């Protein structure tokens, strides 16, 4: 279990089909909640970007972190 595992999990295994879950309507709702103006012509691009972010988060969630101590500061890893 290491950071290298991030690169060995195929995207299809991380999230089989993120596009079936995230719609333009979801993006509109998120934009409204965040008070961010997303023009209609940019909805698809924003949706695609959010899918990538969610797929990456899903990959992170699947990491085996058994025995890995949490860091309180990034400098802890350098000590």
């Amino acid at each position: 279990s290491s950071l290298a595992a991030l690169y060995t999990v195929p995207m299809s295994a991380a999230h089989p089909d993120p596009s079936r879950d995230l719609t333009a309507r979801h993006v509109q709702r998120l934009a409204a909640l965040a008070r961010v103006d997303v023009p209609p012509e940019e909805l698809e691009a924003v949706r695609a970007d959010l899918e990538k972010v969610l797929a990456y988060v899903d990959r992170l969630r699947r990491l085996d972190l058994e025995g890995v101590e949490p860091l309180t500061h990034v400098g802890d890893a350098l000590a």
Side-chain angles (χ1 to χ4, degrees), residues 11-13 18 34 36 48 53-54 67-68 73 78-79:
M11 286 297 274
S12 59
V36 174
V53 169
L54 293 173
V68 177
H73 189 274
L78 303 175

Side-chain angles (χ1 to χ4, degrees), residues 30-38:
L30 288 170
L33 290 170
R35 294 190 170 117
V36 174
D37 183 32
V38 178

Side-chain angles (χ1 to χ4, degrees), residues 43-74:
L43 279 174
E44 180 55 33
V46 171
R47 187 190 65 75
D49 287 345
L50 284 173
E51 283 179 356
K52 291 175 188 174
V53 169
L54 293 173
Y56 186 72
V57 168
D58 192 48
R59 290 173 72 181
L60 291 175
R61 289 179 54 224
R62 293 174 183 267
L63 287 176
D64 177 12
L65 300 177
E66 185 72 32
V68 177
E69 293 294 322
L71 297 177
T72 57
H73 189 274
V74 72

